Amino acid sequence: MLDTFKKNVSSVEETLNIGRKIAALAKPGDVILLKGDLGSGKTTLVKGVGEGLGVIDPVISPTFNILKCYFKGRLPMYHIDGYRLEGQNLDIGLEEAIYGDGIAFVEWPQFLTSILPADALLIAFTKIGEGERELAFSCGGSSSARLLEELENEIG
């Protein structure tokens, strides 16, 4: 990883706000990996991104769909959940979303490592108290380093 920073959040609104800031900074081709326990705020962050992009459809967890696509906004947004894909054949078309023309969010990326780019922003969610989370941001290449630096300037 090239760089890292951490941010503590203590409310859903703060998490949504970070998502809105990501939306303002996102460029086509950005890939953001989201790691954390169930209920740690991953989908809440993506909801904030959806709001920031102007997505009009409700942003919901893709757990049972594996992939949710949102095309009505500033950029296409792809939301992938790898949780149920551990040990499965990954030749199911997810690469089109990950390497597509929008911004891709991947929850549970540890189950999809064989198809993920090295140049991605990673956000690790850790519960540190009742309603409080630590978000650790790190990057793996020049494109994600740009996004990380811009985010750190906005929220760090």
Side-chain angles (χ1 to χ4, degrees):
M1 296 297 173
L2 301 174
D3 200 3
T4 186
F5 79 94
K6 295 178 181 179
K7 174 76 175 170
N8 287 359
V9 295
S10 56
S11 70
V12 168
E13 187 58 34
E14 281 183 272
T15 305
L16 289 168
N17 242 1
I18 291 171
R20 292 179 195 115
K21 291 189 185 292
I22 291 170
L25 300 169
K27 295 190 181 337
D30 284 341
V31 177
I32 300 177
L33 311 177
L34 307 171
K35 289 181 81 172
D37 292 336
L38 292 170
S40 62
K42 299 180 300 292
T43 296
T44 299
L45 181 98
V46 179
K47 286 180 183 184
V49 174
E51 289 177 15
L53 290 176
V55 169
I56 57 174
D57 297 320
V59 175
I60 59 172
S61 174
T63 298
F64 298 106
N65 304 83
I66 299 172
L67 170 64
K68 296 288 289 178
C69 302
Y70 303 91
F71 297 110
K72 296 177 181 171
R74 183 176 70 80
L75 288 173
M77 182 173 81
Y78 306 97
H79 189 186
I80 300 165
D81 189 319
Y83 188 75
R84 294 184 308 126
L85 296 175
E86 181 178 20
Q88 301 298 313
N89 178 350
L90 297 180
D91 190 18
I92 58 174
L94 295 177
E95 292 92 338
E96 285 81 0
I98 294 168
Y99 297 94
D101 57 350
I103 181 171
F105 291 88
V106 181
E107 295 190 29
W108 305 96
Q110 64 270 32
F111 301 128
L112 303 173
T113 57
S114 67
I115 63 171
L116 294 175
D119 191 357
L121 180 71
L122 172 66
I123 306 174
F125 293 71
T126 304
K127 295 178 186 179
I128 56 174
E130 187 60 39
E132 193 168 356
R133 310 286 189 265
E134 176 188 84
L135 279 59
F137 299 79
S138 56
C139 61
S142 59
S143 180
S144 57
R146 174 216 37 99
L147 182 55
L148 179 78
E149 182 178 340
E150 291 174 354
L151 264 175
E152 187 172 17
N153 290 336
E154 286 289 318
I155 66 172

